[in-house]
Amino acid sequence: MLYLAICDDNKRDLEKTEALIQEWSHGQNKPEIKIKKFRSPFQLLDAVSEGEAFDIFLLDTLLPEMTGITLGERLSDMLTDPLIVYLSSSKDYYPDAFRLYAFNYICKPASKDILFPLLDKIACRCKQRKNNIFILKTSEGILPIPFHMIVYAELLSHVCHFHLADGRHLKSLYLRSGFNQYLAPILKQPNFIKTHTSFMVNLNYSCCLTTGVLSLTTGSTIPIARSFAAKVQQRYISHWLEEEGPRA
């Protein structure tokens, strides 16, 4: 199931976008969809703050109470890496949209030739996201954490502390299982490695390896236990060689 939110104060444009998405969903091998329409950005923000979850936000840039860019900023403050597509009759907001890492920017009127391939990419991206999510149970509730947002995790007194790329620090409930078992879905990913009995790191955020320490792009430093040193060094070198690829 793909959950979509459309926010547009123009009723005709709102209904046209919905009709195009519905037509796309009737194609072969398309996912089931659920669409919720909003005429006001505040209605959308209220829905998100009350716990409604959407895989994709299709936002008009010209809204009466705030711009779609401001709405995108508010959504980014509330959610981890929201997937946003802008639908606009103006090209003026194009630079601001991509400053927010918008997935795409479509000039109205939207057409099948542009929207349908985009929806195919979105459906594929959402499927990949849902296969790469760690479900974290905390004292405040259950949170889905995308693997790519995890910088490192540390075990302290049977509680796993997650440090995320957006600056958040989240804590698990008291662990009844071991650190390895708890993090097994994440440790299967090639870019994650343990550096210590109580530390796991995402190598995508690593920037310097020295004796006993792995430095990260976030400014954090992670200890490397002697028994892990050889494996960490091998994986670190292999990871960055693969990232760079072959040189001419």
Side-chain angles (χ1 to χ4, degrees):
M1 178 72 75
L2 200 61
Y3 294 88
L4 302 98
I6 311 172
C7 187
D8 196 325
D9 64 313
N10 185 306
K11 185 178 179 181
R12 180 180 297 177
D13 287 348
L14 190 66
E15 292 178 348
K16 182 178 179 180
T17 301
E18 180 188 30
L20 282 171
I21 295 171
Q22 291 286 6
E23 184 178 348
W24 167 82
S25 71
H26 294 148
Q28 188 175 9
N29 298 322
K30 304 302 182 188
E32 292 183 48
I33 64 168
K34 184 176 181 180
I35 301 172
K36 190 161 185 178
K37 298 176 292 182
F38 299 89
R39 297 283 298 278
S40 160
F42 290 109
Q43 292 174 350
L44 173 54
L45 291 171
D46 286 344
V48 172
S49 66
E50 290 169 5
E52 288 195 55
F54 299 99
D55 295 303
I56 176 69
F57 298 90
L58 294 102
L59 310 178
D60 185 19
T61 56
L62 301 172
L63 296 167
E65 297 97 339
M66 67 176 73
T67 67
I69 301 300
T70 300
L71 176 56
E73 290 173 337
R74 296 277 295 274
L75 290 170
S76 295
D77 289 338
M78 298 168 69
L79 303 169
T80 301
D81 199 18
L83 210 163
I84 297 172
V85 170
Y86 283 105
L87 304 170
S88 180
S89 55
S90 170
K91 295 181 180 180
D92 294 345
Y93 296 96
Y94 191 93
D96 287 329
F98 284 93
R99 173 177 58 81
L100 291 173
Y101 302 103
F103 190 80
N104 215 314
Y105 191 103
I106 297 174
C107 288
K108 295 180 180 179
S111 66
K112 296 180 188 179
D113 291 344
I114 294 175
L115 191 58
F116 283 19
L118 177 61
L119 291 170
D120 287 337
K121 290 181 181 179
I122 288 171
C124 182
R125 171 73 67 88
C126 289
K127 184 177 180 180
Q128 290 174 346
R129 278 189 172 189
K130 289 176 180 178
N131 289 337
N132 291 279
I133 294 289
F134 184 77
I135 302 301
L136 176 62
K137 295 181 181 179
T138 74
S139 58
E140 297 177 354
I142 299 174
L143 303 174
I145 309 297
F147 288 168
H148 73 272
M149 291 294 294
I150 300 171
V151 179
Y152 72 95
E154 178 183 8
L155 183 67
L156 291 169
S157 301
H158 297 280
V159 172
C160 189
H161 296 246
F162 289 87
H163 298 263
L164 306 186
D166 58 9
R168 286 184 297 162
H169 172 200
L170 304 176
K171 295 187 289 185
S172 72
L173 299 176
Y174 185 92
L175 298 190
R176 303 290 181 183
S177 59
F179 193 50
N180 282 7
Q181 183 180 350
Y182 180 67
L183 295 177
I186 304 175
L187 288 169
K188 290 179 182 177
Q189 307 303 310
N191 51 304
F192 284 92
I193 187 171
K194 285 186 67 182
T195 65
H196 192 283
T197 54
S198 57
F199 278 91
M200 177 198 70
V201 179
N202 184 345
L203 289 173
N204 288 340
Y205 294 98
S206 63
C207 63
C208 182
L209 177 65
T210 56
T211 303
V213 175
L214 181 63
S215 298
L216 307 182
T217 56
T218 59
S220 299
T221 54
I222 307 301
I224 302 173
R226 285 186 180 181
S227 58
F228 289 77
K231 185 175 182 180
V232 170
Q233 182 179 23
Q234 182 181 10
R235 286 280 298 277
Y236 176 83
I237 294 171
S238 175
H239 175 80
W240 288 114
L241 283 176
E242 289 175 3
E243 287 290 321
E244 291 182 5
R247 297 184 179 182

